[in-house]
Amino acid sequence: MGDLTGGTLTAPSPVRPAALDVPKASSELTLGDKLGALRMRLNIGRYRYRVEPGLYRLGEPGPSSPVLVTCNYKLTFDVVRSALPGLDAWLLVIDTKGINVWCAAGKGTFGTKELCERVLKANLYEVVDHTTLVLPQLGAPGVAAHEVQQFTGFRVVYGPVRIDDLPAFLDAGMKATPEMRSATFDLRERFVLTGVELSVAWQLKTLAILVAVALASGVVGLSYSWHSLLVRGGAAVLTALVGLLAGAFVTPLLLPWLPFRAFSAKGALVGAVFGIGLSALLFDSIGSLAAPAVALATVVFASYAAMNFTGTSPITSPSGVEHEMRRAIPWQIAGAVVSVGLWIVSAFI
C-alpha cells in the first residue's frame, strides 16, 4: 500500500487477476444513455449525472491490458466507453463529483490525491501485471505524475486529447502524434456546447423574471393596459430571448469568423445585427423611444451571453477571461441601465 502523506512505496509482486468481481462496462449505449446525454447537453440535472467511482472492465481485459483513467461524470464515462468498441481495457473511474475531466482538473477534483487513493482502493496490483496509467491529456493540470508514481508505483502516461485517437495511440506504443496533442474547436464541437449556454432560458429563475418584466410592461402612464401587456410585455420577453440566441448560439457558431478577440465584443456585434432587425420589426407597435431600448438591450444580452461562452472554450485562459470581464461588465451594466431607462420613459410618453 502507498503512503499519501509521503515516503516511498514498495510494490508487491504482481498477481495475475481473477477479475470476476470487477463490474463490466459495455461499449454499446442504451436508449436511456442517449436520452441522458441529451439532457446533459441541455443542462438538465447535470451535476447529478454520475457513475460510481472504481474499476470497470471494458471488453475482456487481461493482466496486460491498459488501464485508462477517466472521471465519474456519466456523460464522459459514456463517451469513453462507446468510443472504444472492441478494445479490451480497464477503466479506472475517479470521483470528480460529477464534473468532466477538463473542468475537474482545474477545480482539483481530478487530482493527484484522488487518483492515488483510487489506484490503491482498486488493488490494481492484483489486476494488472504492468504499472502504467493512461490519463486524458486534459486532466494533466490537476495531476502531478511524479507524485502518483511515488505513492502508488504506477507511472502516468497522457493519452491524446480526443478519445477517438486512443486506439491508434495505444497501437503506436503509447506515442502521440502532434495532431493527437492538438485541441480542436470546430463547428460541431461548438454547436454541441450551445445547449448548456441556452439552458438559462428554461430555468425557473429566468422564467420568473421574464413573467415579472412582462407584467410590469403592462403599466402605461398611471393605468394598466392588457393590450400593453401583450405588446410591450411580449416585446420585452422577445428581446431577452433574441439576445440570448444571438450571444449563446449564433456567436459560438460564427466564432472564428467574427472580428474582435473578446467574446463580449463578438457577441455585441451579433447582438447589434439582431437588435436592429428586432427594433425595426417592433417599431410601429412599441414606438420610437422603446425601439432603441430593444436594440440596446439585445446587444447587452448577446454580449453577456457570448462572454459566458469563454468558460466553455479551450482557446481562453482564466486570466484572459478575468481581464475581459473587468472591461466588458461596466459597459454591459451601462447599456442595461440606459435601455431600462428608455423603456420606462416610453411608458409615460
Side-chain angles (χ1 to χ4, degrees):
M1 301 296 286
D3 179 5
L4 293 180
T5 60
T8 59
L9 176 77
T10 302
S13 299
V15 179
R16 297 190 65 84
L20 298 177
D21 58 337
V22 176
K24 188 171 184 177
S26 173
S27 60
E28 296 184 5
L29 300 182
T30 66
L31 177 60
D33 295 328
K34 295 175 182 178
L35 292 176
L38 177 61
R39 287 194 296 108
M40 295 309 103
R41 296 305 184 189
L42 298 177
N43 198 24
I44 301 173
R46 193 175 177 198
Y47 294 106
R48 300 187 299 273
Y49 201 57
R50 310 179 185 186
V51 296
E52 190 68 25
L55 188 64
Y56 294 81
R57 292 181 295 150
L58 183 64
E60 298 297 335
S64 60
S65 298
V67 178
L68 313 178
V69 180
T70 187
C71 64
N72 75 322
Y73 179 38
K74 190 176 185 300
L75 181 58
T76 301
F77 179 75
D78 288 349
V79 168
V80 170
R81 63 189 177 94
S82 64
L84 304 173
L87 180 67
D88 297 322
W90 303 99
L91 297 182
L92 183 64
V93 178
I94 68 176
D95 187 5
T96 60
K97 315 303 179 186
I99 301 174
N100 68 71
V101 170
W102 186 30
C103 294
K107 294 176 180 291
T109 52
F110 191 97
T112 304
K113 186 175 184 293
E114 167 61 19
L115 175 58
C116 292
E117 290 179 345
R118 198 57 57 184
V119 167
L120 299 176
K121 288 179 181 178
N123 294 317
L124 274 184
Y125 292 114
E126 299 179 4
V127 177
V128 296
D129 59 9
H130 61 83
T131 56
T132 301
L133 303 174
V134 181
L135 271 65
Q137 181 177 312
L138 294 179
V143 177
H146 67 285
E147 292 184 7
V148 174
Q149 186 163 19
Q150 177 186 2
F151 295 146
T152 69
F154 280 81
R155 71 184 184 98
V156 169
V157 173
Y158 291 105
V161 171
R162 293 171 297 279
I163 189 64
D164 291 341
D165 290 331
L166 187 59
F169 171 79
L170 295 174
D171 290 342
M174 298 190 182
K175 295 187 181 298
T177 64
E179 291 75 17
M180 291 181 184
R181 295 297 185 206
S182 300
T184 60
F185 201 44
D186 59 27
L187 180 63
R188 185 192 68 81
E189 291 168 333
R190 297 194 302 276
F191 172 77
V192 166
L193 296 172
T194 58
V196 173
E197 304 303 319
L198 290 170
S199 67
V200 65
W202 49 81
Q203 293 176 6
L204 291 178
K205 181 179 179 180
T206 303
L207 294 175
I209 292 174
L210 290 179
V211 169
V213 170
L215 291 174
S217 297
V219 176
V220 178
L222 299 178
S223 62
Y224 195 87
S225 166
W226 292 106
H227 178 265
S228 180
L229 168 65
L230 294 176
V231 175
R232 286 172 53 85
V237 171
L238 186 60
T239 298
L241 296 179
V242 169
L244 177 63
L245 181 68
F249 183 75
V250 178
T251 300
L253 295 186
L254 300 180
L255 198 64
W257 303 289
L258 292 171
F260 311 120
R261 182 172 182 176
F263 282 43
S264 56
K266 292 175 182 286
L269 177 61
V270 176
V273 174
F274 277 76
I276 291 173
L278 183 61
S279 63
L281 180 66
L282 298 175
F283 187 89
D284 291 339
S285 58
I286 62 177
S288 59
L289 197 57
V294 164
L296 184 56
T298 305
V299 172
V300 171
F301 278 119
S303 177
Y304 185 78
M307 185 175 66
N308 279 344
F309 197 71
T310 57
T312 306
S313 166
I315 60 177
T316 57
S317 66
S319 59
V321 172
E322 291 178 4
H323 177 68
E324 178 177 347
M325 291 178 66
R326 286 195 298 269
R327 296 180 61 185
I329 288 179
W331 288 102
Q332 292 166 351
I333 292 175
V337 169
V338 172
S339 176
V340 171
L342 288 173
W343 187 258
I344 293 175
V345 172
S346 70
F348 294 89
I349 295 179

